[in-house]
Amino acid sequence: MAKRSVEVQVLDSDFSLLLRESVTYEFKMETRSKYRFRNFVMFCMLLALTGIIYFGYFCSDQVCALTPQRPVWSELSLKFPVQDNLGKPLSLHSSPYNSKSSNPGFSYDDVLNENFLFDMNGHDVMVFLHIQKTGGTSFGKHLVQDLDLQRPCTCQRKKKRCYCFRPNRNENWLFSRYSTGWKCGLHADWTELTSCVDTEFDKNEGDSVKRRYFYITLLREPISRYLSEFRHVLRGATWKHSRHWCGGREASPVELPLCYSGESWEGVTLDEFIACPTNLAHNRQTRMLADLALVGCYNISYMSLLERNRVMLASAKRNLAAMAFFALTEYQKIGQYVFEETFNLRFAIPFEQHNATLSSSTLSTLKPHQLQKIKELNSLDIELYEFAQNLMYKRFNKLKSRDPMFEERFANLGRLPGRTEFNWDQALDESKETTLEANT
């Protein structure tokens, strides 16, 4: 019995020792596991923080967005500085309809390159964006009849067409109303031209040709331009055959209902002209220079009116700044000089400045509330014009500083031996032309 008691006691002692060692071992293992787990958690947190920093600062929204989102258009500032290298037109042509735009043209920064040369013998093309009532008819005629060229344009007055061919072959170097006609639509805007011009040239020259496009346009003081358009519509002009092409289709009658019934708006009063909410005369210059795909084309429900106006104005400013050349109707001589120095081409006659116009006489008869309403309806154009004035003078001064013969050149613009000024009074009246051109 004693022996058995000893054996039990030994076993109990051994078991107690084994239990203590087991508990100690388990405690050490538990402590080590907690330490490892804590290190793992800290590593994961550090990795996540690093990822957030990387994706936040180095990864673009287009690549890293988890879900498709509409661009935050409010980030497009309307107050970006006036500078020559603002870049080419906004590149978001695929929004919202994935519309494919052709080459939007060489930027002004490209043109200022000291090695630049407008190569008329190559594949360079000048594209004239003609905004209504900005003096584009006269300027368009200057382009086809008054440039001193190796191979001048040959014009047929009855057909209102000129062949502006390259010196070495029968291919157009100019895309405009008087050289090619309204191939992209009557008074095609930036959105229409950039999606159409290249296709039209491909039809004649083939799609293998790599062309350089140089967009040019004219702007006019907004109130005068608006009143000039009013008087033009008053006489019966409509431009109802304009396509308003955007996003792969024309604007529907629901999106752009007419302001009048019948064939025209002839005899409209100024108050009626102002009151029509779908009157395209309102902020016309901004709309025609903007990339309308950015605002849902003519679908005004795509975004709020405030946001739509912000985006259109920002886009118009950027596209204008990127154009190879633009001029203001009120500064004919500066415009002629900038064009000649930019493209190294010379006009054979001086441009004329006509400050006394029918719109100026209409302006003097406006009532205060009418003038205020017109300013409100054209607020985007007013800001765009101020932007254009600043940019025009900056370009002019830069070209002036690079020209050692500026004083002589500027004083003798358009004076070339053996050339006389073309009599524009013999040309068809613009109001009659607009009626005729709707059928061309």
Side-chain angles (χ1 to χ4, degrees), residues 283-325:
N283 288 316
R284 179 181 288 280
Q285 296 178 105
T286 300
R287 177 182 57 81
M288 291 188 67
L289 288 176
D291 181 358
L292 297 181
L294 299 176
V295 295
C297 297
Y298 294 92
N299 178 11
I300 61 174
S301 64
Y302 181 71
M303 58 176 62
S304 69
L305 179 60
L306 178 62
E307 196 72 358
R308 180 182 180 87
N309 288 341
R310 286 177 59 84
V311 175
M312 279 206 307
L313 182 57
S315 177
K317 286 181 177 180
R318 187 175 293 266
N319 290 344
L320 181 70
M323 283 189 170
F325 165 80

Side-chain angles (χ1 to χ4, degrees), residues 220 353-361:
R220 184 179 178 184
Q353 185 72 54
H354 299 287
N355 292 324
T357 62
L358 292 175
S359 62
S360 61
S361 62

Side-chain angles (χ1 to χ4, degrees), residues 31-55:
T31 302
R32 187 176 302 173
S33 298
K34 289 183 178 179
Y35 178 76
R36 288 178 179 177
F37 179 74
R38 184 168 59 252
N39 287 346
F40 176 75
V41 172
M42 291 180 64
F43 174 76
C44 291
M45 293 177 63
L46 180 61
L47 186 63
L49 181 62
T50 303
I52 292 173
I53 295 175
Y54 172 80
F55 285 106

Side-chain angles (χ1 to χ4, degrees), residues 199-419:
T199 301
E200 288 299 322
F201 274 96
D202 285 346
K203 293 178 181 178
N204 297 322
E205 302 175 11
D207 57 6
S208 62
V209 178
K210 304 300 180 183
R211 307 176 194 88
R212 299 194 304 178
Y213 294 104
F214 298 84
Y215 280 77
I216 63 177
T217 195
L218 297 181
L219 294 180
R220 184 179 178 184
E221 192 282 315
I223 305 303
S224 296
R225 196 217 65 81
Y226 185 83
L227 292 174
S228 181
E229 179 164 342
F230 159 66
R231 293 185 63 89
H232 203 47
V233 172
L234 174 66
R235 297 192 296 266
T238 62
W239 299 297
K240 61 184 177 182
H241 293 282
S242 297
R243 298 192 310 166
H244 305 299
W245 186 272
C246 180
R249 65 176 180 85
E250 294 185 25
S252 69
V254 175
E255 293 170 324
L256 282 182
L258 295 177
C259 294
Y260 56 91
S261 58
E263 291 299 315
S264 72
W265 210 2
E266 186 175 358
V268 61
T269 66
L270 180 58
D271 288 333
E272 291 172 338
F273 191 78
I274 292 173
C276 180
T278 57
N279 188 348
L280 293 178
H282 308 336
N283 288 316
R284 179 181 288 280
Q285 296 178 105
T286 300
R287 177 182 57 81
M288 291 188 67
L289 288 176
D291 181 358
L292 297 181
L294 299 176
V295 295
C297 297
Y298 294 92
N299 178 11
I300 61 174
S301 64
Y302 181 71
M303 58 176 62
S304 69
L305 179 60
L306 178 62
E307 196 72 358
R308 180 182 180 87
N309 288 341
R310 286 177 59 84
V311 175
M312 279 206 307
L313 182 57
S315 177
K317 286 181 177 180
R318 187 175 293 266
N319 290 344
L320 181 70
M323 283 189 170
F325 165 80
F326 72 89
L328 305 183
T329 307
E330 291 74 20
Y331 303 90
Q332 292 289 322
K333 195 169 185 179
I334 291 178
Q336 180 172 358
Y337 175 79
V338 171
F339 180 94
E340 292 186 0
E341 292 300 305
T342 299
F343 293 105
N344 195 27
L345 297 171
R346 298 290 182 264
F347 287 102
I349 68 168
F351 288 7
E352 292 185 351
Q353 185 72 54
H354 299 287
N355 292 324
T357 62
L358 292 175
S359 62
S360 61
S361 62
T362 304
L363 181 61
S364 63
T365 65
L366 292 182
K367 298 175 182 178
H369 76 275
Q370 290 176 320
L371 179 59
Q372 180 60 34
K373 187 61 177 179
I374 291 173
K375 289 181 178 180
E376 293 173 2
L377 292 172
N378 293 277
S379 59
L380 303 184
D381 276 8
I382 290 172
E383 184 170 340
L384 177 66
Y385 187 80
E386 292 175 355
F387 172 85
Q389 277 184 306
N390 293 329
L391 187 57
M392 178 199 68
Y393 274 113
K394 185 172 183 180
R395 292 186 177 189
F396 173 62
N397 290 328
K398 179 174 289 189
L399 292 171
K400 176 181 175 181
S401 67
R402 290 168 38 169
D403 185 0
M405 304 293 293
F406 170 76
E407 297 296 338
E408 181 179 353
R409 276 272 298 115
F410 198 69
N412 293 281
L413 287 173
R415 297 180 182 177
L416 297 181
R419 294 294 297 268

